Amino acid sequence: MSDIAQSFSTVMTAREAANAARKREERLAWRLMAPAVSLVLLFILLPTLAVFYLSFTNFELGYADYQFIGLENYIELFKDRTFRISLQNTALYTLIVTPLSVFLGLGAALLIESETRGKAFFRTVYFLPVASLLVAMATVWQYLLHPTMGPVNAMLGLLGIDGPNWLGSSSTVLPSLAMIGIWQSVGFNMVLFLAGLTAIPRELYAAAEMDGAKSAWERFRLVTWPLLGPTTLFVLTISVINSVKVFESVKTLTQGGPNKASEVLLHTIYQEGFVFLRVGYASAMTVIFLMVLIVMMLLQYRVLDRRVHY
């Protein structure tokens, strides 16, 4: 009996020591995570909660007093013609920029990956728009798309085509901004696709060729595209987020004009919050903006995640 009791005591002592070691590791883990958790709380969660609270008030910058007005901001929001126009323009901009930037980014990545020389040079060239400040590049784009002395309309003139006023016409301003957005996004998507391509084992291509996949298209369809599924889903998600968040090009080049033809959600939020100082109303817009973004992401993952091969 004494041996059994001693064995039981030894087991309990070992278990207590293991529990104590685990608790020490947990405390150490929390101490290591504390800076990151504090930053997330301070710069993400608390501001989000503050925006959500302010959306139910009539708070305006410069005024100390404000009142809780319930859903009045949201009721006014859906009667606001400018908000509806900005929502439509943002959706159209996203529908143009997202698929084209993903498709062109994948094409550029495939072309660079197939090259034997000059990979670093082409990667740098395609990535330059991502590294460039769009505000600094606005002068270049204004010159390129100028209706009278811009190179784009000059080249169209050589073909006998009268170039439009790209940034000054209601019918062409949003496609022009979308073209700039695609130019800025392709390089970033290309880098992500290159990372996904380099992770595919080369042996799979040799095996597919031995199994009868002789053409490059067949190898892409049977090997590359299925194994790029997780990367494509990530690129598509990032592209949608970046497209919905368009602001710099609109603010710098068009100010939402002409006739609100390029008015987008973030520019409308900026105007209401920092120009008209209606922070409560801008906060309601921000809440709707975040909800739309979350719903889009959830739908995208539910539809596409099942088709992705991990």
Side-chain angles (χ1 to χ4, degrees), residues 20 31 57 64 144 165 172 182 209 230-231 273 282:
R31 284 198 294 269
T57 70
L144 290 174
N165 187 356
T172 58
I182 293 168
E209 190 172 357
T231 303

Side-chain angles (χ1 to χ4, degrees), residues 21-37:
R22 186 173 67 252
K23 290 180 179 179
R24 285 196 301 271
E25 291 178 356
E26 290 176 355
R27 287 194 296 270
L28 178 61
W30 277 109
R31 284 198 294 269
L32 293 173
M33 288 192 303
V37 172

Side-chain angles (χ1 to χ4, degrees), residues 16 30-31 44 61 110 115-116 159 181 202 222 226 231 267 272 291 298:
E16 291 174 356
W30 277 109
R31 284 198 294 269
I44 297 179
L61 283 177
L110 291 171
E115 287 291 328
T116 57
L159 301 175
R202 303 295 99 180
L222 296 174
T231 303
H267 188 261
E272 291 292 340
M291 291 176 62
L298 290 176

